[in-house]
Amino acid sequence: MHYPYQIKSQQQYENDYALSIKNPKEFWANVAQHFTWFKPYDTVLNWEFNTPDVKWFEGGKLNITYNCLDRHAATHPDKVAFIFEPNDINQRTQKITYAQLLQQVSQTCYALQSIGVQKGSRVIIYMGMVPQLAITLLACARMGAVHSVVFGGFSARAIADRVADAKADFIVTCDAANRGAKHVLLKEIVDDALLHVDVKKVLVYKHAGINVNMKPDRDVWLHDIQNKLQVQSLPLFQPVVMDAEDMLFILYTSGSTGKPKGVVHTCGGYMVWVAYTFVNVFQYKPGQIFFCTADIGWITGHSYLVYGPLLAGATSLMFEGIPHYPDAGRLWDIVDKHRVEVLYTAPTAIRSLMAAGLDFVKDKNLTSLKVLGTVGEPINEEAWHWYHKYIGNGNCPIVDTWWQTETGGILISNLAGITPHKPAHATTPLPGVQPILLDDQGKEVTGNNVSGNLCIKFPWPGMLRTTYGDHERCRQNYFATYAGYYFTGDGCMRDAEGHYRITGRVDDVLNVSGHRLGTAEIENAINTHQGVIESAVVGFPHDIKGQGIYAYVIYQGDDVDAQANIAITVSNMIGAIARPDKIQLVAGLPKTRSGKIMRRILRKIAEGEINQLGDVTTLLDPTIVDDIKNNRQ
Ligand code: WT7
């Protein structure tokens, strides 16, 4: 395996970047030719950002799994595709070669087909971090079914909402997931979800060996079907021919309003983008072991644990458990044991392991590491230096990769060892990415040493195409704030050298431990609690989580444990990740005369800046603010 599109020097980065702006079609045609297309595309790109309507490689026919699996199984069948490190340290590591992975994906295709899944079906996947999860994604992609993975920490209600929104007829789950010292009873949670919505079939993978209820006619065991079909003796399941712009997957993510939206990615552009960014940002070299700690339930897991590494024929390490189990040295043990060369994790994990102390690091052999990566939220300089010094031994480049569920893959990042890193800076855009900073009036902010709202002015192959079932929502959310631009929702600085530094969301979206949550979504959950009249949720700085959740709630009930019980309601409605850190019961919320909650004031109070609230004279009832200040949590 070699990567003809891998950038080898700063000079080449500059040349490629310039070319990608001057002649994007030629640039991406050059990259795309290194993949297998069953039929070549007719046009590289057609686009406009008003509707929006973006099409890459139109007319091209492909199957992403052919590029992930068949190609490599033919040339290096015995190369390890996945190393699986179980949650339980007494269980054995598993290695799955490209040839084996292709077989297992094929066998899962047959099982999915026999329960009725076909091209275009939407399949909700709710599993722990086990190889069968990646296999199920790939099996869907191979059959042309659209996968929508729901993170295993989400609630029954969240599953039901996604099943309904995606109009999914199928769920794939497992009996339970092993997470630290706990089992998460995934099948039971799916059963609860299915009290609210219906699906035709639930396919259950036996993993933890927990007893579950199987509803006749609806629930089927994967192994039962596979035995019945005798999948071992069936020929390889042939990849379904997909159009470049056919849907590959839907992934739900939170926005500033209402319910999570289903971000849609398509086959051709996503494939090219994740492969290109994987190979370039991490400067991946054939044979290296790549360890992305993200859960496949998030976009990072989709793009840099499954698709990106497999497209590059890489060895991807999948870890079932959590960084603190059995102790805070677990990630370093894994690096040591498997001689990991590239490690990709989130600032929140770095901060919490840093807080656990160096005792967990000191006896670990981390000399295999060559490249470190971070993703998901701004990294503070202290965490950056700790990561660099103690994990990277002072000699690994750190790639600070900025991107989003919507962008499919990394948009702004240094390239490991090729372009310089800089603490807390994502630095420079990848070829094809044209960032622009706009002020609140939509005027371009030019020059350096400036800040503004981060927008992108030209399409890149991996960008979202729509939000499932509601194209207008996609337009409203991303393309309407600044006409003609994709708006990211992030604030950003451009420093004296022209390097980008992401400062965080400028909309009502929180980033809690690298997980994205909408304040409106949390408020809606709180408001379902009996006795709650109204609520307002804001973020506040949190040492480990980056942001914590602070909820102000008007409650009229007689429960003395109202705060604790409201927190439980939020966990039940969304998942434990959305549970507020602080809940303050208030008599009223600070509102303007037109009835709008002044979140700026609530944020300041949550941050503890109670003496710098600014102008409160436009409030309907300024005395409310004193009451809130005095009872701050
Ligand atoms: C939001 C997207 C990208 C995959 C994981 C999160 C924040 C992401 C960085 C970074 C500063 C970052 C942004 C972005 N973010 N990476 N390197 N530096 N902020 O995906 O859940 O869609 O969240 O995460 O605020 O908008 P997501």
Side-chain angles (χ1 to χ4, degrees):
M1 206 59 209
H2 82 292
Y3 310 115
Y5 46 85
Q6 192 168 50
I7 296 167
K8 303 276 199 234
S9 65
Q10 165 112 27
Q11 187 59 51
Q12 192 194 344
Y13 162 72
E14 283 162 19
N15 294 347
D16 282 10
Y17 187 80
L19 183 65
S20 76
I21 306 304
K22 194 164 150 252
N23 202 341
K25 293 188 186 180
E26 180 188 320
F27 184 84
W28 290 110
N30 267 326
V31 177
Q33 65 169 320
H34 299 291
F35 298 83
T36 302
W37 299 83
F38 300 139
K39 173 186 165 288
Y41 46 79
D42 305 317
T43 44
V44 177
L45 171 65
N46 272 310
W47 73 286
E48 54 90 359
F49 270 181
N50 295 316
T51 324
D53 186 10
V54 174
K55 292 194 170 74
W56 283 92
F57 312 117
E58 226 181 337
K61 304 285 181 194
L62 77 158
N63 190 293
I64 193 170
T65 72
Y66 187 90
N67 286 280
C68 287
L69 303 172
D70 304 59
R71 268 195 313 165
H72 308 309
T75 53
H76 44 265
D78 299 328
K79 176 143 193 223
V80 175
F82 283 121
I83 299 175
F84 174 64
E85 179 67 25
N87 175 67
D88 181 344
I89 48 170
N90 299 316
Q91 273 184 18
R92 259 199 292 149
T93 298
Q94 260 181 58
K95 293 190 176 167
I96 305 174
T97 66
Y98 274 92
Q100 291 166 335
L101 187 62
L102 176 58
Q103 275 306 323
Q104 292 182 26
V105 168
S106 166
Q107 292 172 6
T108 298
C109 287
Y110 281 113
L112 288 169
Q113 188 182 49
S114 81
I115 61 168
V117 174
Q118 42 181 307
K119 182 174 178 182
S121 304
R122 273 86 49 216
V123 180
I124 296 283
I125 304 176
Y126 186 67
M127 296 174 78
M129 281 286 284
V130 290
Q132 186 60 41
L133 168 56
I135 291 166
T136 306
L137 262 70
L138 293 161
C140 287
R142 194 166 180 86
M143 311 171 64
V146 177
H147 57 73
S148 186
V149 184
V150 178
F151 170 60
F154 278 124
S155 66
R157 174 62 70 162
I159 300 171
D161 286 347
R162 285 156 177 75
V163 167
D165 191 86
K167 299 181 195 67
D169 284 332
F170 308 94
I171 298 181
V172 183
T173 187
C174 29
D175 48 357
N178 303 319
R179 262 179 88 75
K182 285 192 307 204
H183 287 302
V184 186
L185 303 177
L186 298 175
K187 172 63 168 66
E188 199 175 292
I189 299 170
V190 167
D191 291 341
D192 286 348
L194 293 178
L195 299 173
H196 306 285
V197 281
D198 282 326
V199 293
K200 289 189 181 134
K201 293 283 179 197
V202 179
L203 186 63
V204 189
Y205 170 66
K206 194 183 187 96
H207 172 64
I210 299 278
N211 276 338
V212 298
N213 287 322
M214 297 292 278
K215 189 174 171 197
D217 301 330
R218 188 195 72 187
D219 301 350
V220 283
W221 288 107
L222 175 65
H223 60 263
D224 280 349
I225 299 194
Q226 291 189 325
N227 287 340
K228 208 171 90 201
L229 295 171
Q230 300 198 334
V231 286
Q232 250 101 0
S233 52
L234 294 176
L236 192 66
F237 191 100
Q238 288 307 310
V240 167
V241 175
M242 304 293 285
D243 194 274
E245 283 297 338
D246 280 343
M247 241 189 285
L248 175 63
F249 66 84
I250 306 170
L251 190 58
Y252 283 84
T253 189
S254 298
S256 47
T257 50
K259 278 192 190 165
K261 45 189 179 279
V263 169
V264 169
H265 285 288
T266 56
C267 297
Y270 178 81
M271 172 179 77
V272 170
W273 189 249
V274 294
Y276 181 81
T277 53
F278 173 75
V279 158
N280 279 302
V281 171
F282 301 103
Q283 286 292 305
Y284 182 81
K285 305 284 180 300
Q288 289 185 332
I289 309 228
F290 182 87
F291 179 19
C292 166
T293 68
D295 194 288
I296 294 175
W298 310 111
I299 190 73
T300 309
H302 281 58
S303 300
Y304 299 110
L305 200 155
V306 182
Y307 288 112
L310 296 181
L311 286 164
T315 301
S316 177
L317 194 151
M318 177 192 284
F319 172 42
E320 181 181 23
I322 49 178
H324 285 269
Y325 182 81
D327 64 38
R330 186 68 195 270
L331 294 187
W332 321 132
D333 283 328
I334 296 174
V335 170
D336 185 339
K337 176 172 170 189
H338 297 289
R339 311 299 298 147
V340 168
E341 283 152 293
V342 189
L343 174 67
Y344 191 32
T345 192
T348 187
I350 298 167
R351 287 190 298 263
S352 77
L353 298 176
M354 179 171 93
L358 284 173
D359 276 357
F360 292 103
V361 186
K362 70 176 195 297
D363 299 327
K364 313 293 154 75
N365 181 351
L366 305 179
T367 54
S368 55
L369 287 170
K370 303 234 162 29
V371 173
L372 302 175
T374 99
V375 59
E377 49 176 326
I379 183 165
N380 48 310
E381 296 203 14
E382 193 191 355
W384 193 98
H385 286 292
W386 187 86
Y387 196 31
H388 188 250
K389 179 168 178 194
Y390 295 107
I391 305 307
N393 193 27
N395 56 26
C396 295
I398 297 182
V399 288
D400 181 347
T401 64
W402 173 82
W403 57 297
Q404 310 178 299
T405 305
E406 294 85 346
T407 69
I410 298 163
L411 293 200
I412 303 182
S413 173
N414 52 308
L415 311 181
I418 301 287
T419 61
H421 63 200
K422 179 166 182 178
H425 286 67
T427 72
T428 42
L430 267 89
V433 176
Q434 303 190 32
I436 179 170
L437 301 184
L438 300 176
D439 68 16
D440 289 343
Q441 281 68 49
K443 229 179 110 234
E444 177 167 5
V445 183
T446 55
N448 288 343
N449 263 327
V450 290
S451 59
N453 300 305
L454 178 61
C455 295
I456 315 285
K457 59 180 173 189
F458 195 85
W460 63 100
M463 72 184 294
L464 86 164
R465 301 297 193 263
T466 188
T467 46
Y468 189 76
D470 194 349
H471 193 62
E472 171 58 14
R473 194 168 174 205
C474 172
R475 190 188 69 79
Q476 277 285 340
N477 256 293
Y478 306 106
F479 298 91
T481 316
Y482 301 106
Y485 299 103
Y486 168 80
F487 175 44
T488 64
D490 280 316
C492 182
M493 286 163 35
R494 190 164 47 223
D495 71 9
E497 298 162 280
H499 288 167
Y500 291 90
R501 175 183 192 148
I502 312 300
T503 47
R505 303 288 304 197
V506 294
D507 52 6
D508 290 319
V509 169
L510 305 182
N511 196 324
V512 181
S513 300
H515 302 322
R516 180 164 154 188
L517 294 161
T519 54
E521 194 185 348
I522 305 171
E523 288 161 7
N524 289 344
I526 293 173
N527 297 349
T528 65
H529 191 88
Q530 180 129 46
V532 169
I533 308 296
E534 199 180 359
S535 62
V537 166
V538 296
F540 68 97
H542 187 289
D543 283 349
I544 305 285
K545 297 179 174 186
Q547 271 188 312
I549 303 172
Y550 197 120
Y552 300 90
V553 180
I554 306 176
Y555 172 75
Q556 289 178 0
D558 46 20
D559 178 1
V560 288
D561 287 327
Q563 277 125 307
N565 288 326
I566 290 168
I568 292 171
T569 297
V570 176
S571 285
N572 290 341
M573 293 290 291
I574 305 174
I577 53 173
R579 189 189 187 101
D581 298 272
K582 296 179 181 180
I583 297 180
Q584 180 178 350
L585 303 184
V586 296
L589 293 166
K591 287 190 179 171
T592 62
R593 286 186 185 87
S594 60
K596 205 169 141 32
I597 297 174
M598 285 188 78
R599 287 171 186 276
R600 175 179 60 80
I601 293 174
L602 294 177
R603 266 185 228 120
K604 287 270 182 210
I605 296 174
E607 285 164 15
E609 292 181 12
I610 49 175
N611 297 319
Q612 298 142 38
L613 296 185
D615 184 13
V616 296
T617 54
T618 56
L619 289 177
L620 191 59
D621 178 3
T623 61
I624 281 180
V625 174
D626 291 322
D627 168 68
I628 298 178
K629 272 191 333 197
N630 294 337
N631 296 301
R632 195 177 157 262
Q633 297 287 294

